[in-house]
Structure formats: structure tokens, C-alpha cells
Amino acid sequence: MKKEFDPKTIIQTLQGVLPREQKSIALHEPLFKGNEWNYVKKCLDSGWVSSTGKDVDRFEKQLAEYSGIKHVIAVVNGTAALHICLQLAGVTSGDEVLVPALTFIATTNAVSYCGAVPHFADNEERTLGLDPFKLGDYLREISELRTEGCFNKKSGRRIKAVLPMHTFGHPVDIDPLMEVCQRYKLMLVEDAAESLGSLYKGYHTGCWGRLSALSFNGNKIVTTGGGGAILTNESSLAVLARHLTTQAKLPHAWSFNHDMVGYNYRMPNINAALGCAQLEQLPEFIKQKRSLAVRYQEAFADLKGVKAFKEADFARSNYWLNVLLLDEEYSAARDTILELTNKLGIMTRPAWTLMHQLPMYQYCPRMDLSTAENLERRIINLPSSAFL
Ligand SMILES: *Cc1c(COP(=O)(O)O)cnc(C)c1O
């Protein structure tokens, strides 16, 4: 028999998993137990702290080897990475880009930076990410396929790309999504900001889209302080990404010439030095986070009305952030649980406010978003640092 639903029981269960001796427990804290001091000191001693240097090269090489993706361009943050990915995918002013309604704001903002319009698609409960089947049905209804591509019949705008996000580290169901992209001539770009180390059918997230973005912000699975990366298997796109992120400066011994509107987006060497040390520990972080996820799953298994979210069978998640998912009928208790845990110093958080509920995006095109709306009411993120 399962224990009856009760916020107090949930909190006791949570306390049973978390270390007792710690006064307050963050949602996600970085861990610097490797070569961080060593590499950052070497970088300072070298004098190369800014946007070129051998730590950037080393960091990019390490990431390419780890992910199995050919080209890696390290940049200032994940949002900048997304911006460049979309621009290189050909997204321009007046286009529409399909984005999940349940995502972090940066996914959607990157679309706006290109002058394009976000078009919100629903999420699904299996992965917490974009629902490829619902998207396929929706596009059949609202779009018109022409030789140049896919057009939104209502707005008349071209739907250029799909930008799925691997929510809290859980890969979206990519195969059916790629089918939709092929059928509707849509470019696939992945927001893999949260899913470094997550696999879909054995391959790294980020290798499926023509371009994809990672983030190394302080709360991500590995950090460079602030940072991001553009990933692609296509060398021509990689060359352009490198060029665009370095002010589009033409190589020359002393003159300043630029052939495009570029950006100052390259990652500083000192951040990369930190990142090299962090990447060395990534396999260990993933091991620890996956074992924490199992502990949550087991602890909540005999409680009614809740479950600790588990990866889909086609996925190996990095479990960047653990999710406690309330059953629909108990979603009204979400705020009580958030209130009680935070009062006790256990940092929990609700999901992001849905994109179509934000003032600047409320008039954007969207499909029925009932699953995203439902999930948003039921998600509680649990403390997920690797050392817990
Ligand atoms: C963190 C994050 C980003 C952006 O990363 P920054 O490095 O903070 O700019 C983008 N998308 C998602 C889903 C994220 O979680």
C-alpha cells in the first residue's frame, strides 16, 4: 500500500534523501574539486585571459571528443550560441520558428534576436520536451508546403526551423521529430543547453540538429562561469560560426577588415581554462547525478500522488535537474510544497512561466498547449547538485 498524499510526507521523504548535516541545500551548485585552480592559475600566468588562447582550443577539442560532434565553437554564453545557431540555420526577419511552450526564456529570445517570430508548440509528458507527434498533426492542419518550404497558412510567414529543448537534461524523442522536419522542410536546431552528457539512442544530444547550442552557466552540469558552445558536424557552418562570433574579422597580420556584421561572442580563455578542468569531471558528475535520480525515484515510489521523473527508455539523461511530478489532482499542493521546502532551506523551484504567458510573447502563434500548461502546474524541481 502506498502512503497517502500529504505535503508533510513529501518533505520527510525529501529530507530522507538529502544530507542531514547541511543547513541549506541549493537547487544546483557547481563543484570545483579537480584541476580548476591549477588551470586558471596557468592561464593567468600565461597572460592570455581574453578571447583567444590555447585553453579555448583545448576546451573545444575536449568537448568535440566527448560529444562525438565534429566542430565545437566556444562562445560567451548559451544564449549567444542559440542566436548564432539560428542565424546560420537561415532564420531571418519575418520567419517563424517552432519552440516548445515549456522552456527557458533564452530559447525564445534567440528567435526574436533574429527578427523572427516564435511559434509555440506543445510539450509531452514522456520527455517533458516538444511533442513530435502532436506537432506533425498540427502542421498538417495549419501549414502549406511549397517548393521553397513550409508556410503558415494563417500568418503567411515561412516556418523555417524547429528548436526543441532537452528539458532538465531529458532528450526529446528525436527520430519522429526528424521525420516531421523532413516532411515539412524544417531546419532542426537543438537547444542542448541543459543536456550535456545526455544521449538519445546512444548518441549525444546536439548531434541531431544541423546546429546545436550548449550552456556552461554557473548552474549547468559543468560551468565556465559563463559560457556556451555551438556544435555542428558541417565544416562550412563551423567556419562561419567562428567568423561571426569573432566580429567577422578577416585574418591579417595588422589591418582591421570585416566582411559581415559580426558579434563579440567568443569565450575568453580564462573561462575555457575553468571549463577544461570541469569537463575532466563530467563523467563522474553524470554518475553521481544519475545515482541521485535513482535515490529520488526509489524514495518517492511508495507515495501516492507523486513521482520522481524518470528518463524515457530511448534516453540516457544527465538528470541535470530532478523533477518531482505531482499527479493532476494534487497540483493545487504545489505551492505549499514549494513554500515549506524553501522555508526549511531546501531549495525547490516551479517550472518556468510558459512562454505564451509572458507579456512580450502573448500574441505569438501557438497550437493547443494543454500538456505544457498541465505540466507547468505539476513540476517541482528538486535539489540536484552532483555531490548530494
Ligand atoms: C541555460 C539555458 C540557456 C542559456 O544559457 P546561458 O548560458 O545562461 O545564456 C538556454 N536555453 C536553456 C534551455 C537553458 O537552460
Side-chain angles (χ1 to χ4, degrees):
M1 268 286 280
K2 288 196 175 192
K3 285 186 214 157
E4 283 306 313
F5 182 89
D6 178 2
K8 288 210 190 73
T9 321
I10 290 175
I11 283 148
Q12 281 162 10
T13 309
L14 201 50
Q15 284 173 320
V17 174
L18 296 170
R20 284 276 173 186
E21 63 281 9
Q22 240 172 291
K23 260 225 188 73
S24 76
I25 298 176
L27 191 66
H28 200 285
E29 254 181 287
L31 189 58
F32 304 119
K33 288 271 173 72
N35 284 314
E36 284 85 357
W37 282 96
N38 181 13
Y39 292 171
V40 170
K41 180 172 188 309
K42 272 192 191 149
C43 174
L44 290 175
D45 290 342
S46 79
W48 289 86
V49 295
S50 206
S51 51
T52 48
K54 65 178 177 28
D55 291 305
V56 174
D57 300 338
R58 184 154 67 112
F59 183 65
E60 290 177 343
K61 207 164 143 246
Q62 252 175 287
L63 259 177
E65 269 163 24
Y66 180 82
S67 64
I69 299 167
K70 275 200 199 120
H71 306 283
V72 175
I73 297 95
V75 294
V76 283
N77 58 53
T79 312
L82 281 169
H83 177 194
I84 298 300
C85 285
L86 288 174
Q87 188 167 327
L88 290 179
V91 172
T92 53
S93 163
D95 286 337
E96 290 182 9
V97 177
L98 293 154
V99 172
L102 178 70
T103 188
F104 179 57
I105 188 71
T107 320
T108 310
N109 281 345
V111 175
S112 298
Y113 298 164
C114 296
V117 177
H119 187 150
F120 300 119
D122 206 8
N123 296 64
E124 65 164 326
E125 184 156 344
R126 275 186 318 152
T127 65
L128 306 176
L130 202 69
D131 183 335
F133 301 103
K134 193 165 173 178
L135 181 64
D137 290 344
Y138 174 68
L139 286 172
R140 187 175 329 121
E141 202 181 301
I142 67 111
S143 75
E144 186 194 323
L145 255 182
R146 300 186 204 150
T147 35
E148 322 94 272
C150 178
F151 287 78
N152 179 341
K153 280 195 280 196
K154 199 162 162 203
S155 68
R157 286 185 291 249
R158 169 124 184 233
I159 305 177
K160 183 71 73 62
V162 187
L163 182 53
M165 194 277 278
H166 305 294
T167 316
F168 310 130
H170 296 291
V172 300
D173 194 357
I174 294 168
D175 277 341
L177 186 60
M178 291 193 27
E179 265 179 54
V180 170
C181 288
Q182 253 156 27
R183 198 173 335 131
Y184 292 96
K185 303 180 183 176
L186 304 170
M187 193 78 89
L188 180 65
V189 177
E190 293 175 67
D191 182 347
E194 303 181 352
S195 65
L196 176 60
S198 297
L199 309 178
Y200 176 76
K201 298 187 179 172
Y203 293 91
H204 204 281
T205 52
C207 82
W208 307 88
R210 280 192 75 188
L211 294 136
S212 62
L214 293 177
S215 166
F216 313 109
N217 192 34
N219 61 348
K220 296 297 193 317
I221 190 161
V222 298
T223 185
T224 58
I230 300 162
L231 309 177
T232 182
N233 279 312
E234 291 177 45
S235 28
S236 58
L237 290 175
V239 168
L240 265 175
R242 217 169 273 286
H243 189 56
L244 267 179
T245 52
T246 45
Q247 306 279 30
K249 185 182 179 297
L250 298 170
H252 192 278
W254 40 262
S255 85
F256 293 98
N257 269 304
H258 310 261
D259 60 352
M260 298 165 91
V261 178
Y263 303 89
N264 179 17
Y265 275 179
R266 290 284 279 151
M267 178 184 281
N269 203 44
I270 190 163
N271 297 79
L274 182 58
C276 289
Q278 286 270 288
L279 275 186
E280 290 171 353
Q281 300 160 81
L282 179 57
E284 187 58 28
F285 290 167
I286 291 178
K287 215 162 91 193
Q288 289 173 322
K289 288 165 80 67
R290 288 183 59 80
S291 102
L292 175 63
V294 170
R295 278 154 56 210
Y296 276 135
Q297 283 157 20
E298 288 172 356
F300 285 103
D302 49 356
L303 252 67
K304 248 177 96 174
V306 292
K307 62 168 187 259
F309 189 82
K310 209 173 157 195
E311 64 197 357
D313 52 11
F314 48 68
R316 190 199 75 164
S317 175
N318 68 5
Y319 284 96
W320 171 57
L321 283 189
N322 281 284
V323 171
L324 187 69
L325 198 58
L326 304 178
D327 283 1
E328 171 102 67
E329 55 192 303
Y330 298 115
S331 62
R334 185 194 72 171
D335 289 0
T336 312
I337 297 165
L338 287 168
E339 189 70 42
L340 288 172
T341 45
N342 281 286
K343 234 183 227 153
L344 286 168
I346 300 172
M347 194 168 158
T348 56
R349 287 288 179 269
W352 309 281
T353 299
L354 299 173
M355 292 301 114
H356 64 294
Q357 290 165 352
L358 298 171
M360 60 288 194
Y361 293 127
Q362 61 182 322
Y363 300 114
C364 290
R366 62 181 198 237
M367 66 159 86
D368 167 75
L369 300 174
S370 48
T371 306
E373 284 166 358
N374 177 280
L375 286 170
E376 190 269 336
R377 291 192 292 270
R378 296 164 51 210
I379 288 173
I380 296 176
N381 283 127
L382 302 176
S384 298
S385 305
F387 56 84
L388 284 176

